[in-house]
């Protein structure tokens, strides 16, 4: 059997359509197709986010009026009952949804990136859309960023799967979807780009920047056309009064870092709460939030109205401290007990409260609102291990480069406390570990776990069944570099010219000598190929090569059919420069 493979089957279509198809669906690794895909994903993610925000704002407007997030104006009974009612709706949603579709949010996206080849199921995307609307509309102490990332990444993954993109490019497209969703939801394209590369992809690459930037700016522009200006956080003009306030900045960073450590441990406490059933856990989260809202109604929802108010007119330190404690418990309960929402907005509010407390007690000439702004960035950076995205948030909110120096001081201090002082991982990794999934964090292992054999596969080889002795004429005429010989169902890798030489020798042998006997010197164990039922990461392949003496792998590669990856090809990729896109 001859298995020469073209990259994609030719189709009868006009020349212009053929070019368009090759541009979007072909195997080209050039930058332009990826940038164009980023723009398409930006439009698609912007459309999804515009639909989500419109429905959410309709719900919040019906409850709170034009201010949307003004849960404080609700009567006490509503503040108590609304989160509980939301939990009951979520329980019903979980009961009618298959378990396989219930994994959502940023942890789900990271899990599918490392363990699922970047393929995000459509059912989980739909569940996230509905679940987030219920949770956010009922005032649960969560954010819209996690759902936004899941929705944007899901749209990008589905489009990439339809386009037949390899896993590494699915990763890049998911980064495009992440940046597009954050940019569309919050009109912060720079923060969206850095968040996608720092938190989701966990790497920076020159090839990755261009399509991700294209997706972010396209989504931001397209969503603004659909919804008009919709800033979630209002820009503020804040700057450091003088370098004499640096001790106050260091104190603020250490203080916010300690708050991040406390928050992390509270989330772990609720993750380990001795109730396993999903329904009671969700109900408990609603009850905790509702009870705390009787005392501190500002904890309901994402809290953007409170953030904007505190940045402009900081509250006294004692009410801020009480609000901080209530928000800590409510958010840790919501995240730890499984409410389908995001972690960023609550962390921003926690950081604003913690920074506001520091600004009210430390001496110095800088405005207390500056410390609230810096606390917001430090909390986000420390909890999610995303200092650059946090700094970009400060830059886009303060509209002043003068705020970057104090922001760097506070963000660095908080990260050192959380990561090196208490050695806490990112909250996202903690949430994944609670599911029994441990992500690779070593840089080399992470890079290998994010690339797949299918990206190296070649298809220009021939196949021969040695048991029957039938060799297609094309094998001898076209002179392939490699011939895969099947003997008793086991594939072996043979050099093409060497196979031809042995085959011609066999033809001259007397009758009774089988082809398999002639080829026996070429079919040693070291020439054996491993057949894979599905694609595998480079990390898994290298571990296999360490344990087994094999010449390489045969694996299915989508529409292209059976692909070949040799040991020499894999080693060459690891020891030469270049990208695997």
């Amino acid at each position: 059997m001859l298995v020469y493979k073209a990259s994609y089957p030719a189709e009868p279509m006009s020349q212009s359509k053929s070019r368009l198809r090759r541009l979007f669906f072909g195997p080209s690794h050039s930058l332009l197709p990826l940038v164009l895909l980023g723009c398409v994903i930006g439009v698609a993610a912007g459309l999804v986010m515009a639909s989500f925000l419109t429905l959410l704002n309709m719900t919040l407007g019906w409850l709170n009026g034009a201010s949307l997030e003004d849960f404080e104006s609700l009567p006490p009974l509503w503040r108590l009952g609304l989160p509980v009612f939301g939990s009951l709706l979520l329980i019903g949603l979980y009961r009618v949804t298959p378990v396989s579709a219930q994994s959502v949010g940023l942890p789900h996206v990271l899990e599918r990136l490392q363990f699922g080849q970047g393929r995000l199921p459509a059912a989980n995307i739909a569940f996230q859309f509905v679940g987030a609307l219920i949770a956010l509309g009922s005032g649960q102490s969560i954010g819209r960023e996690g759902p936004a990332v899941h929705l944007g990444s899901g749209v990008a993954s589905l489009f990439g799967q339809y386009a037949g993109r390899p896993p590494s490019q699915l990763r890049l497209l998911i980064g495009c979807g992440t940046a597009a969703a954050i940019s569309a939801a919050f009109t912060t394209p720079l923060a969206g780009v850095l968040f996608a590369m720092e938190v989701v992809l966990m790497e920076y690459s020159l090839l990755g920047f261009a399509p991700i930037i294209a997706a972010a700016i396209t989504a931001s522009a397209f969503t603004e056309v659909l919804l008009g200006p919709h800033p979630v956080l209002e820009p503020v003009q804040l700057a450091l009064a003088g370098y004499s306030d640096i001790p106050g900045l260091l104190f603020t960073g250490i203080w916010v870092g300690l708050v991040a450590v406390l928050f992390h441990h509270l989330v772990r406490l609720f993750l380990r709460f001795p109730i396993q059933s999903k329904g009671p856990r969700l109900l408990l989260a609603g009850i905790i939030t509702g009870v705390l809202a009787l005392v501190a109604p500002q904890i309901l929802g994402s809290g953007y109205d409170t953030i904007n108010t505190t940045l402009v007119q900081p509250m006294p330190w004692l009410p801020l401290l009480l609000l901080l404690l209530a928000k800590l418990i409510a958010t840790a309960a919501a995240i730890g007990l499984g409410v389908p929402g995001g972690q960023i907005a609550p962390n921003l509010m926690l950081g604003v409260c913690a920074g506001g407390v520091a600004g009210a007690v430390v001496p110095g000439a800088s405005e207390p609102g500056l410390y609230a702004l810096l606390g917001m960035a430090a909390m986000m950076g420390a909890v999610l291990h995303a200092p650059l995205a946090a700094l970009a948030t400060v830059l886009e909110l303060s509209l002043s480069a003068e705020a970057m120096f104090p922001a760097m001081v506070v963000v660095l201090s908080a990260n050192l406390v959380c990561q090196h002082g208490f050695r806490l991982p990112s909250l996202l990794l903690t949430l994944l570990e609670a599911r029994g999934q441990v992500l690779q964090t070593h840089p080399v292992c992470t890079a290998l776990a994010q690339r797949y054999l299918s990206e190296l596969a070649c298809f220009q080889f021939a196949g021969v069944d040695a048991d029957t002795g039938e060799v297609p004429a094309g094998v001898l005429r076209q002179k392939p570099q490699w011939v895969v010989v099947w003997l008793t169902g086991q594939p072996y890798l043979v050099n093409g010219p060497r196979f031809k030489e042995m085959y011609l020798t066999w033809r001259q042998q007397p009758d009774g000598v089988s082809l398999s006997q002639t080829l026996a010197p070429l079919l040693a164990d070291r020439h054996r190929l491993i057949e894979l039922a599905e694609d595998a990461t480079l990390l898994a392949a290298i571990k296999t090569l360490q344990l087994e003496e094999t010449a390489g792998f045969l694996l299915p590669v989508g529409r292209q059919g059976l692909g070949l990856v040799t040991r020499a090809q894999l080693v060459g990729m690891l020891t030469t420069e270049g990208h695997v896109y």
Side-chain angles (χ1 to χ4, degrees), residues 97-430:
T97 304
V99 176
S100 60
Q102 294 178 6
S103 180
V104 295
L106 260 171
H108 172 71
V109 173
L110 295 178
E111 180 265 327
R112 297 306 298 171
L113 274 174
Q114 187 155 126
F115 304 114
Q117 301 182 22
R119 301 178 184 274
L120 274 67
N124 297 69
I125 300 170
F127 179 81
Q128 174 70 96
F129 191 97
V130 178
L133 282 177
I134 294 174
L136 290 166
S138 61
Q140 302 283 354
S141 184
I142 56 170
R144 62 183 71 173
E145 302 81 10
V149 169
H150 188 176
L151 295 175
S153 300
V155 169
S157 176
L158 293 176
F159 190 90
Q161 292 176 57
Y162 175 72
R165 289 291 167 179
S168 67
Q169 290 188 13
L170 280 183
R171 292 186 70 257
L172 182 56
L173 296 183
I174 284 176
C176 292
T178 297
I182 292 180
S183 180
F186 309 104
T187 61
T188 53
L190 177 59
V193 169
L194 293 178
F195 185 86
M197 305 197 78
E198 189 173 30
V199 177
V200 177
L201 300 184
M202 299 183 186
E203 67 175 7
Y204 291 92
S205 68
L206 295 177
L207 184 64
F209 265 115
I212 291 176
I213 290 174
I217 60 178
T218 302
S220 180
F222 184 68
T223 310
E224 187 155 346
V225 169
L226 294 178
L227 302 180
H230 57 287
V232 175
L233 297 174
E234 298 295 335
V236 290
Q237 291 286 350
L238 297 167
L240 185 68
Y243 289 112
S244 60
D245 288 346
I246 289 181
L249 298 178
L250 293 173
F251 170 81
T252 302
I254 295 172
W255 158 243
V256 175
L258 293 174
V259 173
V261 170
L262 175 60
F263 175 69
H264 202 125
H265 284 293
L266 283 174
V267 172
R268 283 182 171 176
L269 178 66
F270 282 106
L271 285 171
R272 299 167 183 167
F273 201 80
I275 297 178
Q276 300 302 320
S277 179
K278 193 72 175 180
R281 291 176 69 89
L282 290 171
L283 185 59
L284 178 61
I287 293 173
I288 291 174
T289 303
V291 170
L292 290 172
L294 292 175
V295 180
Q298 297 94 331
I299 68 168
L300 292 175
S302 300
Y304 289 118
D305 59 335
T306 303
I307 294 174
N308 288 323
T309 301
T310 306
L311 291 176
V312 178
Q313 297 176 339
M315 293 187 287
W317 70 270
L318 184 57
L320 271 179
L321 184 60
L322 293 176
L323 179 57
L324 172 64
L325 293 175
K327 189 67 174 179
L328 273 172
I329 298 172
T331 305
I335 295 173
L337 296 175
V339 176
Q343 303 86 28
I344 299 178
N347 274 286
L348 295 181
M349 182 172 170
L350 290 172
V352 163
C353 293
V357 170
V361 299
V362 298
S366 298
E367 299 178 55
L370 173 65
Y371 290 92
L373 175 68
L374 303 181
M376 178 177 68
M379 189 72 181
M380 175 182 169
V383 172
L384 299 179
H385 291 194
L388 290 181
L391 291 172
T393 302
V394 171
L395 179 63
E396 291 186 297
L397 288 178
S398 66
L399 299 179
S400 172
E402 296 177 359
M404 294 306 294
F405 172 77
M408 289 180 180
V409 174
V410 176
V411 169
L412 175 62
S413 303
N415 273 267
L416 288 175
V417 169
C418 198
Q419 294 183 45
H420 296 279
F422 289 84
R423 299 190 179 278
L424 289 176
S426 165
L427 179 64
L428 300 176
L429 297 183
T430 297

